[in-house]
């Protein structure tokens, strides 16, 4: 177990007392430089964590948006602080923010804030925001509180007849649309890649089929058909070239054989 840091507890108590004192002075804001640690606190909480909060949209609250959302944010931070143990640094930071909001309520007047919240009661909505959207809302409340000077008189619009209190606001809708686009972007990029891979595979298959068809046609040709195709060619060439001339040696041999045949015929005739 971690030992209790007495010095940190004393600092938080001193901050609470100083905030209540200075918040009562007109024109003095109870906010301190600790507002800058909101980003650190947001980074220590998982992004997919859902935080319960009641709020009034700006479109409905108008200029009274700040004074209508101070106490709901304070209540939500108290619920979030109970999620951490007493020695957690996150709980200490949340306690500081709660103290500043309490000083802001004391400066503006708790009774006036209660009356305004009662007048706008039907316009409050309940939401479970993710970490990033929730702390953006908290930071916006502190940013508006830095320039507040006093309570404002607000006239609430008529209560909605069809829109339920838990309906989704425009800011929350935009956030969900952005998150949906982030999740669907890899899928959208994967579609053309898969199409190119399919097209390349289809072209390879088609080329293989063409090669197989050409090879099968070549094997189907017989040697006789090729000889038939080449047969008329030598005859055609012989017809074009004409009769061949005999060499002198061949002509001499033919004359000798003719003389021998004549002598044999004469000898046969004499014998008869």
């Amino acid at each position: 177990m971690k030992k209790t840091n007495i010095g940190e507890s004393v600092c938080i108590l001193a901050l609470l007392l100083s905030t209540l004192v200075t918040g009562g002075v007109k024109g003095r804001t109870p906010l301190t430089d600790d507002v800058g640690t909101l980003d650190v606190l947001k980074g220590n909480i998982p992004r997919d964590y859902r935080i319960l909060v009641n709020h009034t949209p700006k479109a409905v609250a108008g200029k009274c948006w700040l004074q209508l959302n101070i106490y709901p944010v304070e209540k939500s931070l108290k619920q979030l602080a109970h999620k951490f143990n007493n020695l957690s640094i996150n709980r200490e930071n949340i306690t500081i923010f709660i103290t500043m909001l309490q000083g802001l309520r004391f400066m503006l007047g708790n009774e006036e804030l209660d009356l305004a919240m009662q007048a706008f009661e039907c316009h409050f909505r309940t939401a479970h925001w993710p970490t990033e959207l929730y702390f953006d809302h908290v930071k916006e409340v502190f940013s508006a509180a830095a320039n507040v000077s006093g309570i404002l008189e607000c006239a609430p619009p008529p209560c909605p007849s069809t829109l339920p209190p838990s309906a989704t606001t425009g800011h929350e809708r935009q956030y969900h649309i952005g998150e949906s686009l982030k999740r669907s972007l890899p899928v959208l990029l994967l579609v053309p890649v898969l199409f190119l891979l399919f097209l390349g595979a289809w072209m390879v298959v088609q080329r293989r089929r063409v090669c197989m068809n050409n090879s099968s046609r070549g094997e189907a040709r017989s040697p006789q058909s090729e000889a038939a195709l080449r047969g008329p060619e030598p005859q055609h060439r012989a017809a074009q070239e004409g009769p061949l001339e005999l060499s002198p040696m061949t002509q001499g041999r033919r004359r000798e054989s003719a003389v021998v045949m004549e002598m044999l015929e004469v000898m046969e005739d004499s014998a008869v």
Side-chain angles (χ1 to χ4, degrees), residues 180-215:
S180 300
L181 290 176
K182 289 179 181 179
R183 290 192 296 267
S184 60
L185 183 60
V187 179
L188 295 177
L189 294 177
L190 187 61
V191 170
V193 175
L194 293 177
F195 175 75
L196 293 176
L197 292 176
F198 174 78
L199 181 61
W202 180 81
M203 293 178 64
V204 171
V205 172
Q206 292 297 323
R207 183 171 297 179
R208 287 182 178 178
R209 288 181 178 177
V210 172
C211 294
M212 292 176 64
N213 292 335
N214 292 337
S215 62

Side-chain angles (χ1 to χ4, degrees), residues 217-228:
R217 289 176 183 175
E219 293 176 355
R221 293 179 179 178
S222 62
Q224 295 179 356
S225 61
E226 294 181 358

Side-chain angles (χ1 to χ4, degrees), residues 6-78:
I6 300 177
E8 292 179 356
S9 302
V10 173
C11 291
I12 294 175
L13 180 60
L15 177 63
L16 175 61
L17 294 176
S18 62
T19 302
L20 295 176
V21 172
T22 56
V25 182
K26 187 176 181 179
R28 293 286 300 276
T29 175
L31 305 184
T32 64
D33 295 337
D34 295 308
V35 176
T37 60
L38 272 173
D39 294 331
V40 178
L41 179 61
K42 180 173 65 175
N44 293 337
I45 299 176
R47 291 175 55 89
D48 57 349
Y49 188 76
R50 296 281 175 167
I51 304 174
L52 176 65
V53 61
N54 294 326
H55 66 100
T56 306
K58 284 185 176 181
V60 178
K63 61 182 180 180
C64 297
W65 178 82
L66 173 62
Q67 59 197 50
L68 292 174
N69 286 278
I70 291 176
Y71 181 72
V73 170
E74 177 187 337
K75 181 180 178 181
S76 177
L77 287 173
K78 287 180 180 179

